[in-house]
Amino acid sequence: MSAALIDGKSFAAGLRARVAALVQPFHAQTGRTPGLAVVLVGEDPASAVYVRAKGKATREAGMESIEHKLPDTTSQEELLALVDKLNADPTVDGILVQLPLPGHLDAEEVLLRIDPGKDVDGFHPVNAGRLATGLPGFVPCTPLGCLMLLEDLHGDLSGMDAVVVGRSNIVGKPMAALLTAKSCTVTVAHSRTRNLPHYLKHADIVVAAVGRANFVKGDWIKPGATVIDVGINRVDGRLVGDVDFDSAASVAGAITPVPGGVGPMTIACLLRNTLVAAYRHEEVPLDEGII
Ligand SMILES: Nc1nc(=O)c2c([nH]1)NC[C@@H]1CN(c3ccc(C(=O)N[C@@H](CCC(=O)O)C(=O)O)cc3)C=[N+]21
């Protein structure tokens, strides 16, 4: 291991503290508390753990967590009716519908129903379009967190070669858009890419978000590169990333661990987006660049 460890957990703690510090002046100016509604459908144990963690972090930041737990038997119409109710509720600044939804529900239709101004996940196509065109909106939490770690480490990313491995709407595509906006030269690789090592050979930045345990090998990585591992895979009860950590850490300049890397940043950025949503809803000025 020669790479520096990128401590996402500690960076996330700092971000959460900055968010918490901005809740108090918001309350002083508006008389209310930012509110995040989290909707969980069904009994998936992993989802229940995430939702509990989000609720705890929300309260620790001084914001209100509004949790809706619906049974597996919930119909599409019932779920849409709840989203409509949350859209209309002035105490709700952010809405998160925990994914994945049970198979009988149409996630795309549900996400389309969320008011884009409350879409703190940044999953609504309006927010995807805003990111793609450089307009203010909400950026998905995981790629936003990755970008913060990269800028904290490197400062200006301009001119760097970045390879994003994965093209999902929630990580790969928005990550590529963010890095492009920061003037990186971006390659998006994916499961059909023929020669991934060929592209990684030149990458100063690697963001791995393919959802396959230990997929990216150390000998594919350029010596000194920065490796951001978005993967959350459970192997034999252990949490591992999409990067083969031991081999990559001996080549990279810096690398995020799993756990303790990107995951905590996702939650901190969710709180950040909720705070920003609240300030926007009340039209209280906020320098969004400082968080
Ligand atoms: N609408 C929606 N928005 C999401 O943002 C969303 C979602 N659905 N569905 C599931 C994924 C997953 N996700 C994570 C958040 C935090 C950690 C996290 O904090 N991980 C810790 C470890 C947690 C553990 O030990 O299990 C870490 O990496 O250090 C991981 C994963 C948010 N997601």
Side-chain angles (χ1 to χ4, degrees), residues 170-206:
I170 61 177
V171 182
K173 282 184 209 166
M175 189 76 246
L178 284 169
L179 292 169
T180 303
K182 295 295 179 181
S183 302
C184 291
T185 302
V186 180
T187 300
V188 180
H190 45 75
S191 54
R192 300 286 185 94
T193 295
R194 283 201 184 127
N195 191 347
L196 183 57
H198 166 82
Y199 294 99
L200 291 180
K201 206 179 229 112
H202 300 286
D204 306 305
I205 294 169
V206 179

Side-chain angles (χ1 to χ4, degrees), residues 97-263:
V97 176
Q98 183 70 20
L99 300 177
L101 286 170
H104 67 282
L105 295 170
D106 177 355
E108 199 179 325
E109 190 188 24
V110 173
L111 297 182
L112 266 173
R113 195 72 156 244
I114 296 172
D115 176 347
K118 295 189 176 188
D119 171 36
V120 289
D121 260 332
F123 292 167
H124 193 290
V126 162
N127 282 316
R130 285 176 171 268
L131 173 58
T133 50
L135 293 170
F138 290 106
V139 174
C141 302
T142 300
L144 179 58
C146 294
L147 182 71
M148 287 180 183
L149 294 177
L150 286 167
E151 289 196 313
D152 180 57
L153 187 67
H154 291 287
D156 188 4
L157 306 181
S158 176
M160 294 180 84
D161 286 330
V163 174
V164 178
V165 190
R167 55 175 155 180
S168 69
N169 289 337
I170 61 177
V171 182
K173 282 184 209 166
M175 189 76 246
L178 284 169
L179 292 169
T180 303
K182 295 295 179 181
S183 302
C184 291
T185 302
V186 180
T187 300
V188 180
H190 45 75
S191 54
R192 300 286 185 94
T193 295
R194 283 201 184 127
N195 191 347
L196 183 57
H198 166 82
Y199 294 99
L200 291 180
K201 206 179 229 112
H202 300 286
D204 306 305
I205 294 169
V206 179
V207 180
V210 267
R212 290 206 224 165
N214 302 321
F215 179 71
V216 175
K217 310 299 181 201
D219 56 1
W220 302 350
I221 290 166
K222 173 172 148 178
T226 298
V227 177
I228 306 290
D229 190 348
V230 178
I232 302 268
N233 309 287
R234 224 164 272 278
V235 174
D236 303 329
R238 216 165 54 94
L239 216 54
V240 302
D242 290 351
V243 177
D244 182 43
F245 184 85
D246 292 341
S247 68
S250 70
V251 183
I255 187 166
T256 59
V258 177
V262 173

